[in-house]
Amino acid sequence: MSRFAQYYAKYKHDAGCYDWEQRQQHFGALFEKDESIEFYMGEDDARKVYKHRVYHLGSAPGITVMRFANDIDIPVERDFEPAMAKDEPSCFVIIDNRDNLRTVAIQKRKKAFSNTRQVAKILSVVIDQQLFKEHCYGFEILPDYYPVDLFKVWERQQAHTQSLRFGVPEMDRDEILRKVAELKSKGRDYFDDSIMGPILDVLQAQKMAKYKGHYTVMPEHKKTALYIDKDSVFMRNLLTLAEAIDEPVELVTTDGGTFRCFIDNDEDNTDKIVCHEFNDSLLELLFKPKKKDGSKVEPEDRLKAEEEVQELMNSMKHEVDDAEEEQAA
């Protein structure tokens, strides 16, 4: 599984632009073929080209899956002497260019790029230059952020909150306890570490047993809303843990809606891009003739992969009304 950061495309209207209503077709044309556009950064001797390949979903032609590569020099040893070798790791980028949709998903893969913002910047700069040159309007790719304050969202959804889901920490126990201790000085009205040890023991046992998932909290009675609770020892410890591990809490409403929120709006928490987990091996099937086990990739394999990709993009849909976008541009 890989994590995909959620971004969205924004068209920038200009006084001298023309064919503004055709902007999605213009954008789509840049990805018709691998060679339809060249991605690069820098000029002259400093110019670096980033190779890419594209695959258009047959079941949803407006969705394009792109393999985006980065040439990296890695140190090796040849004949007992230090040398450099070329590596070309890649990440996946998925672009949803269906009518009125602006979603871009970028795979988090540090082996290829240090962060997803780097990929977004490369794409934005080149696409912006191309669209402005040909059609006189601009373009940029921007991140979608998690709502940062759990309590504000919880208050708005007070009568409809069904449950809270807390992430299972990846940090080791000592680091978590150190961060918990640091939080004590902040004087949060929900701070409590009185049962932190037992909670971490349970979560560690879950991790050791290779059980994946969230720690879900629900009210005792199904028809009762989960009201804001800063009084119970149990909830206070969970909220303290969530802030310490710096992971979003999922608030689930009675109608199935999900809000992913950080505990508060500290400055450190204002740059959190929404992420989704997805099986990147499905994307590999779209570009390779064989699976990892050596068997041939059949049409039904690709169709299944396409269905999963479409489901992913539907879950992170960034929809914009044309008139609304033109007024805001």
Side-chain angles (χ1 to χ4, degrees):
M1 298 292 285
S2 287
R3 301 189 81 188
F4 283 76
Q6 180 172 317
Y7 286 76
Y8 65 95
K10 180 180 179 182
Y11 297 94
K12 298 182 291 184
H13 196 283
D14 190 276
C17 79
Y18 58 93
D19 292 338
W20 170 254
E21 70 280 0
Q22 301 295 320
R23 57 197 178 282
Q24 283 196 253
Q25 288 91 324
H26 298 156
F27 177 64
L30 301 180
F31 299 93
E32 284 184 358
K33 300 177 181 178
D34 295 342
E35 62 273 12
S36 297
I37 188 171
E38 181 180 67
F39 292 104
Y40 67 92
M41 290 294 282
E43 298 294 338
D44 302 324
D45 293 341
R47 179 186 175 98
K48 180 175 182 178
V49 175
Y50 298 89
K51 297 179 183 177
H52 73 281
R53 292 179 59 199
V54 297
Y55 177 94
H56 302 285
L57 268 60
S59 55
I63 298 179
T64 299
V65 179
M66 180 166 60
R67 184 189 283 278
F68 197 76
N70 187 12
D71 285 333
I72 296 175
D73 290 327
I74 55 174
V76 296
E77 189 176 272
R78 291 197 181 101
D79 298 326
F80 306 103
E81 293 292 333
M84 300 298 289
K86 284 285 186 185
D87 190 18
E88 199 173 36
S90 63
C91 70
F92 287 109
V93 177
I94 310 173
I95 300 169
D96 193 344
N97 192 41
R98 291 175 291 177
D99 286 346
N100 296 328
L101 296 182
R102 306 284 187 264
T103 322
V104 179
I106 303 176
Q107 183 185 16
K108 284 189 167 186
R109 193 175 183 223
K110 288 190 175 181
K111 181 180 178 183
F113 293 91
S114 59
N115 57 69
T116 57
R117 282 182 173 278
Q118 186 181 359
V119 179
K121 180 180 178 181
I122 297 167
L123 296 175
S124 289
V125 169
V126 174
I127 294 171
D128 179 69
Q129 290 174 349
Q130 194 73 20
L131 290 179
F132 192 83
K133 176 183 176 182
E134 296 180 3
H135 306 290
C136 299
Y137 58 82
F139 177 90
E140 59 185 328
I141 295 175
L142 301 168
D144 266 325
Y145 295 118
Y146 286 110
V148 293
D149 194 326
L150 170 66
F151 295 113
K152 287 182 180 178
V153 176
W154 201 350
E155 186 174 338
R156 289 202 308 267
Q157 299 293 329
Q158 186 70 102
H160 311 289
T161 301
Q162 182 181 58
S163 64
L164 294 181
R165 290 202 294 250
F166 294 85
V168 177
E170 294 295 328
M171 292 186 283
D172 61 46
R173 183 189 181 93
D174 289 342
E175 185 179 2
I176 294 172
L177 291 176
R178 179 179 61 78
K179 288 184 174 292
V180 168
E182 290 174 357
L183 291 176
K184 191 170 186 177
S185 63
K186 293 187 176 182
R188 305 293 195 210
D189 59 356
Y190 53 82
F191 179 85
D192 195 330
D193 61 353
S194 59
I195 59 171
M196 191 63 65
I199 289 176
L200 292 178
D201 289 340
V202 171
L203 295 179
Q204 179 63 23
Q206 176 183 347
K207 186 176 179 181
M208 293 291 291
K210 300 189 184 303
Y211 288 113
K212 186 176 177 64
H214 293 78
Y215 196 92
T216 303
V217 180
M218 301 178 70
E220 184 177 2
H221 303 291
K222 286 185 178 180
K223 294 184 179 180
T224 304
L226 186 65
Y227 291 103
I228 294 177
D229 182 7
K230 295 183 181 180
D231 296 324
S232 72
V233 171
F234 178 59
M235 183 61 78
R236 286 160 62 97
N237 273 265
L238 287 178
L239 292 171
T240 299
L241 175 61
E243 184 175 4
I245 65 176
D246 201 23
E247 287 288 335
V249 178
E250 293 186 354
L251 183 150
V252 183
T253 57
T254 52
D255 61 358
T258 301
F259 298 83
R260 295 177 176 86
C261 317
F262 285 87
I263 295 295
D264 59 41
N265 57 357
D266 278 356
E267 291 183 2
D268 291 343
N269 283 342
T270 59
D271 193 28
K272 302 297 183 180
I273 302 174
V274 177
C275 289
H276 303 256
E277 286 199 345
F278 189 73
N279 186 353
D280 57 336
S281 64
L282 292 173
L283 301 178
E284 296 282 357
L285 298 179
L286 303 178
F287 290 89
K288 294 185 177 180
K290 292 185 178 181
K291 303 177 186 177
K292 288 184 178 180
D293 62 6
S295 61
K296 182 181 177 182
V297 175
E298 302 292 346
E300 54 267 29
D301 295 322
R302 287 200 175 92
L303 181 60
K304 173 63 176 174
E306 288 192 11
E307 290 173 352
E308 295 288 340
V309 171
Q310 191 168 348
E311 185 176 330
L312 171 69
M313 300 313 288
N314 286 340
S315 73
M316 61 170 71
K317 189 180 292 183
H318 188 102
E319 194 166 5
V320 177
D321 177 80
D322 283 353
E324 178 187 3
E325 183 175 55
E326 185 167 0
Q327 290 172 1

